[in-house]
């Protein structure tokens, strides 16, 4: 179970990384039910990334998968092409969403949006590592 | 303009009040464009209140009004009955959303959901006072 | 048929009235197909009224009726209670939308939102009269 | 901050260009919060482009980017493939949306739709240059 205190620690680690790479981000954490625990938009981060960060976190827990991996699986002609049309627009198929695990068990996820794929991914990894 | 630091101070004050009255809450802050800056769900707060807190904040800035006041204006036969059918399900017409002002100018809003109307309102007021 | 030049004349007349009564408004004009021709948000008018003004205009042409009249017909226990659940959230059931007529034929509509019902109605009437 | 007077000047410049190239257009301007300030549909412009123009403007401000650039970044296998599935159908990934800047700061955006990509882009550029 991820508490609000956990989510804040995860977000703080992600923010620190975002500051290091000088890219303001939206950062969101969801629980085991894929429901939002906390979200922050750093100053000057994209408005359009609010929805994306929250839904990358949703997606990662909804399918227990990195959205970076899902990105390759959902390209045209691949197995999951079309998954993005499900769940009322909540499935994000590009890097920045990572499941948060307790041992092998997925207990939630982090979603990051505000830069290029590699940047979002790096910030999400820093956040997930802080659980 | 409300920074993330401002939003965190507002949320911290709201959380403190929520703890005092022993009612876990969802708390959200939006900017002048009615776009989300930060959201937290306190441990054990309702999942269904995530959306409500965020959208009470949206509503308060979208119409520069307390949602408590809007509640009375949107009753059947009153002036704003039907406003809840606009803006794609984002208009919340019960207490807990309050505009945040700099002098007379509305620069954002706080939205709180998780308890009864009076509780949500009290927590939102505590938050708004911390700007 | 309402041209863009017509829509601008209608909006200008509505804006003039809004300035007279000192209430900034969102003003929208739709054509015979209920499709938007033009919209303006006056400085300091509510953000939440963008959607409402456009959809009051839609509603007035969609049902060839003043939204003020529709408001009374869509109260609980009345004939059209429930109409607001149709058309994907585009039906507005409070004053401020008025059909624009050429003789007896409805050729479009104006929608106004930003104040109380009487204010929206007065501004919409001023606009409609300028066709 | 973009006023309604600014938005009208931007739209007038865009319209002038649209007339020069003889292609009727939908033209929209949003503010720093990505909320609509004004929209016009020139006579005979596509009805289906109302939504596109407004949402190209939204997209350009939401991600502080030309939608023409976003078009290349959101192709299959590229970094932002899938971004169009976010924000509830409001992300437009083809040319015609341009951020409006005050110095380096994005203060809003223009969105144009009604012709081919190059035409939409040319008209949007003419509009943006008038701020």
């Amino acid at each position: 179970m991820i508490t609000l205190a956990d989510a804040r620690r995860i977000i703080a680690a992600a923010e620190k990384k975002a500051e290091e790479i000088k890219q303001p981000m939206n950062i969101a954490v969801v629980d085991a039910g894929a429901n939002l625990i906390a979200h922050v938009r750093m100053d000057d981060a994209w408005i359009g990334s609010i929805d994306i960060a929250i839904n990358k976190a949703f997606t990662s827990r909804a399918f227990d998968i990195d959205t970076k991996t899902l990105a390759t699986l959902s390209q045209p002609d691949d197995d999951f092409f079309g998954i993005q049309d499900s769940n009322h627009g909540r499935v994000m198929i590009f890097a920045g969403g990572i499941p948060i695990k307790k041992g092998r068990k997925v207990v939630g996820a982090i979603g990051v949006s505000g830069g290029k794929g590699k940047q979002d991914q790096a910030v999400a990894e820093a956040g997930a590592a802080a659980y």
Side-chain angles (χ1 to χ4, degrees), chain A residues 35-106:
Chain A
N35 296 306
L36 189 64
I37 303 175
H39 160 271
V40 301
R41 172 159 49 106
M42 295 170 68
D43 296 338
D44 299 320
W46 294 330
I47 293 167
S49 283
I50 299 166
D51 180 83
I52 295 176
I54 293 170
N55 286 327
K56 281 182 180 170
F58 167 82
T59 302
S60 279
R61 171 50 185 152
F63 299 105
D64 291 350
I65 195 171
D66 277 26
T67 56
K68 184 185 172 184
T69 305
L70 188 60
T72 65
L73 297 174
S74 56
Q75 294 299 315
D77 288 319
D78 215 317
D79 247 31
F80 287 160
F81 181 66
I83 197 169
Q84 66 271 33
D85 300 314
S86 74
N87 287 277
H88 305 279
R90 304 200 63 192
V91 177
M92 296 293 106
I93 55 167
F94 46 166
I98 300 182
I100 294 171
K101 297 182 182 181
K102 189 160 207 159
R104 290 189 176 184
K105 193 173 172 63
V106 178

Side-chain angles (χ1 to χ4, degrees), chain A residues 106-125:
Chain A
V106 178
V107 293
I110 181 172
V112 174
S113 179
K116 297 188 177 174
K118 282 188 183 175
Q119 293 174 311
D120 293 357
Q121 184 68 15
V123 171
E125 285 172 1

